[in-house]
Amino acid sequence: MSWGTELWDQFDNLDKHTQWGIDFLEKYAKFVKERIEIEQNYAKQLRNLVKKYCPKRSSKDEEPRFTSCIAFFNILNELNDYAGQREVVAEEMGHRVYGELMRYSHDLKTERKMHLQEGRKAQQYLDMCWKQMDNSKKKFERECREAEKAQQSYERLDNDTNATKADVEKAKQQLNLRTHMADENKNEYAAQLQNFNGEQHKHYYIVIPQIYKQLQEMDERRTIKLSECYKGFADSERKVIPIISKCLEGMILAAKSVDEHRDSQLVIDCFKSGFEPPGDFPFEDYSQNIYRTISDGTISTPKQEGMRIDSKTTVGKAKGKLWLFGKKPKGPAMEDFSHLPPEQRRKKLQQRIDELNRELQKETDQKDALIKMRDVYEKNPQMGDPSSLQPKLAETMSNMDRLRMEIHKNEAWLSEVEGKVAARTDRRHSSDINHLVTQGRESPEGSYTDDANQEVRGPPQQHAHPNEFDDEFEDDDPLPAIGHCKAIYPFDGHNEGTLAMKEGEILYIIEEDKGDGWTRARRQNGEEGYVPTSYIDVTLEKNSKGS
């Protein structure tokens, strides 16, 4: 199946077909170019979309830590990577498909032009040979007719009795001349015919098949190139499918990481105030003047003045706690965060203590490094002067002392907050129990008690005095001592629930450190409270340790 043998007479159609093939190749190249532009615009729009919805850089306090938000930000990151893969697809298509097609199209046009020129030259040469043969044929035909005329003229004169001998001889010479010329033209025509037949055979069986074969091979290569480009077009995207799959898997993992319970707990951690709900308002009995003269068997009430004072005090306590549900008190932020609700204050103090501990650890590492460097300088004076490190070492030690003081100060504030929260929790449970008992409490004579403070309990104050808390447990047995301790540093103990101590003072240990940095101790006079664990040297009894 060859164009040279099957299509030997279809030069014009092959010219049109090869031109159509190049046009089709360029049309596909234009399609690839537009697809590249679509991929590039798609990737650009995806990146703009990610940039639009990515969180702005803000402080850590404002950064949302909800799992749903974190998952969305992870999805945005995966989508940004996905956009990058679309850019890779466009780049691969541009280099491997479009660029290759444009180069090949240029080479194809040059090759086609060369083959067609060779075909036209061969056809022109064959046409020239045919014209030469045709001219010799026409000349031979013309000479033959002239020779026939000369023969007829000679025969007519030869048969004419009136013709002179000279005329006959002249006619005979003319006949011989025409016959000779006809023979020469005959030989010329035969030679030209033989030459043309040879050139024609060569043209249709050698030259044209060779040219058409080259055109056929060129067209087949064009078809193969298109096939390769089709495959490369698909491979450009297939190569990034594993990475795109990972991006999609990352989005699915981000979706699975959403934890509604954790988000709910974060809401609690962010907004929990630590205040107690407002307690019950006391019953104010305005009928006490009516029943003042009634016997002791009836319901008795305290004096009007005492009732009024107690009710005002109770209501005042409740109002002191209701500020959270109205407008927050205005004022500058305090160093101890006392302007915040208890729970938020505890959270802020704990964060500050953690930051200070990290800074202290850095300063400690720097001090150790300076000491090692100083030792090296002392052993090898040629490496440096040890005294040159003294100012930096002194500055580091000063920073460490400052950080320790800050940590102790914040720990004292934290212990104050935690002590209040713990006391408030215990008093809430005690208040609930007393509230239940009060509803059914009667005196042995069948009447209610006369103590208004026991009859109606208001919510405890936010800043209750330590003695008010201790009064509720006066009758409880004191906790047994599980060891003793010696104060290494003095502690003022001004905060609620803490115990002041002097350096070198011996105290009893009644409760170990639970991991919050505080130990419960008692003096010999029975006074109890919490002291910083880092301020004391603890010695526990062997039989009590770990109990």
Side-chain angles (χ1 to χ4, degrees), residues 32-203:
V32 174
K33 182 180 179 181
E34 292 182 3
R35 170 64 188 277
I36 291 171
E37 292 175 353
I38 291 174
E39 290 290 346
Q40 291 173 341
N41 293 331
Y42 180 47
K44 182 178 180 181
Q45 291 176 1
L46 284 179
R47 289 195 182 277
N48 291 336
L49 181 67
V50 171
K51 183 178 180 181
K52 178 180 179 180
Y53 284 93
C54 268
K56 302 296 185 295
R57 296 297 179 185
S58 60
S59 61
K60 293 183 179 179
D61 294 337
E62 297 178 359
E63 185 178 357
R65 304 307 301 169
F66 297 105
T67 57
S68 56
C69 296
I70 296 174
F72 178 61
F73 298 152
N74 290 336
I75 288 174
L76 289 178
N77 291 332
E78 296 293 346
L79 188 61
N80 193 56
D81 295 340
Y82 177 84
Q85 297 308 310
R86 305 317 307 180
E87 292 175 346
V88 171
V89 170
E91 183 178 356
E92 185 72 13
M93 285 183 180
H95 174 71
R96 183 176 177 181
V97 181
Y98 179 73
E100 185 66 22
L101 282 175
M102 297 307 295
R103 287 190 298 270
Y104 188 76
S105 174
H106 180 268
D107 296 340
L108 206 63
K109 289 179 180 178
T110 303
E111 183 180 359
R112 172 182 175 275
K113 182 178 180 181
M114 180 186 67
H115 293 324
L116 292 179
Q117 286 178 349
E118 291 178 354
R120 290 190 181 93
K121 287 181 180 179
Q123 188 66 40
Q124 289 174 359
Y125 178 72
L126 183 64
D127 292 342
M128 183 190 68
C129 293
W130 180 85
K131 287 181 180 179
Q132 291 177 353
M133 184 271 298
D134 187 63
N135 289 335
S136 63
K137 177 182 176 182
K138 289 179 180 179
K139 190 175 181 181
F140 171 61
E141 182 182 4
R142 186 173 60 252
E143 292 297 331
C144 287
R145 285 197 298 272
E146 292 295 331
E148 288 178 357
K149 290 181 181 179
Q151 185 177 5
Q152 291 175 0
S153 177
Y154 170 73
E155 289 177 354
R156 186 179 65 253
L157 289 175
D158 187 37
N159 294 326
D160 188 4
T161 58
N162 296 323
T164 63
K165 187 177 180 180
D167 291 336
V168 172
E169 188 64 25
K170 184 179 180 181
K172 184 177 180 181
Q173 291 178 355
Q174 188 67 25
L175 174 62
N176 292 333
L177 178 63
R178 291 297 179 184
T179 303
H180 177 71
M181 293 181 65
D183 291 338
E184 289 182 350
N185 285 301
K186 179 178 179 182
N187 295 332
E188 178 68 18
Y189 168 64
Q192 291 293 336
L193 179 62
Q194 184 179 4
N195 181 64
F196 173 75
N197 289 333
E199 292 296 333
Q200 180 176 256
H201 185 275
K202 180 181 178 182
H203 177 82

Side-chain angles (χ1 to χ4, degrees), residues 318-527:
K319 287 183 177 178
K321 290 186 175 183
L322 289 175
W323 69 266
L324 179 64
F325 302 96
K327 294 183 179 179
K328 286 190 175 183
K330 297 181 180 179
M334 307 298 291
E335 182 184 5
D336 60 351
F337 300 111
S338 57
H339 62 288
L340 295 177
E343 184 63 26
Q344 299 302 319
R345 183 186 180 194
R346 183 194 65 78
K347 183 179 177 182
K348 292 289 186 181
L349 287 172
Q350 188 62 54
Q351 290 177 356
R352 180 186 288 174
I353 290 173
D354 294 340
E355 292 176 359
L356 290 172
N357 282 325
R358 285 193 292 269
E359 293 180 11
L360 179 60
Q361 184 61 40
K362 291 181 181 178
E363 294 293 337
T364 303
D365 295 340
Q366 185 174 359
K367 182 198 72 171
D368 295 340
L370 289 172
I371 291 174
K372 290 181 180 179
M373 189 178 297
R374 185 184 62 184
D375 294 341
V376 172
Y377 286 176
E378 290 176 352
K379 294 178 180 179
N380 302 291
Q382 68 275 10
M383 297 184 67
D385 184 9
S387 60
S388 63
L389 301 176
Q390 192 61 32
K392 186 64 177 177
L393 187 59
E395 181 184 355
T396 304
M397 296 293 289
S398 175
N399 291 337
M400 291 174 62
D401 294 338
R402 176 181 58 80
L403 290 172
R404 287 195 184 98
M405 291 178 63
E406 289 289 331
I407 292 172
H408 293 159
K409 182 170 62 174
N410 283 274
E411 285 178 345
W413 290 332
L414 182 62
S415 66
E416 177 186 354
V417 177
E418 292 178 343
K420 288 181 180 180
V421 172
R424 205 163 21 247
T425 304
D426 293 340
R427 279 180 287 181
R428 183 170 64 248
H429 294 320
S430 176
S431 177
D432 293 341
I433 296 173
N434 291 333
H435 180 72
L436 294 174
V437 173
T438 302
Q439 291 178 355
R441 184 174 65 250
E442 294 182 1
S443 64
E445 290 82 5
S447 62
Y448 286 89
T449 178
D450 294 335
D451 188 357
N453 290 328
Q454 294 181 2
E455 185 67 26
V456 180
R457 290 182 178 266
Q461 294 183 10
Q462 180 183 354
H463 299 287
H465 194 275
N467 293 335
E468 293 181 14
F469 174 73
D470 295 337
D471 289 343
E472 297 182 10
F473 299 94
E474 286 179 340
D475 299 334
D476 293 345
D477 294 334
L479 294 174
I482 60 174
H484 63 276
C485 67
K486 180 180 180 180
I488 305 175
Y489 308 103
F491 181 63
D492 53 13
H494 291 326
N495 298 318
E496 180 184 0
T498 59
L499 181 66
M501 62 181 181
K502 299 178 181 179
E503 184 177 354
E505 185 177 359
I506 303 299
L507 303 173
Y508 294 110
I509 302 297
I510 59 176
E511 187 176 337
E512 290 186 74
D513 187 351
K514 301 300 184 182
D516 55 1
W518 294 90
T519 301
R520 191 173 180 182
R522 182 171 62 223
R523 284 199 179 92
Q524 293 182 358
N525 60 4
E527 186 179 359

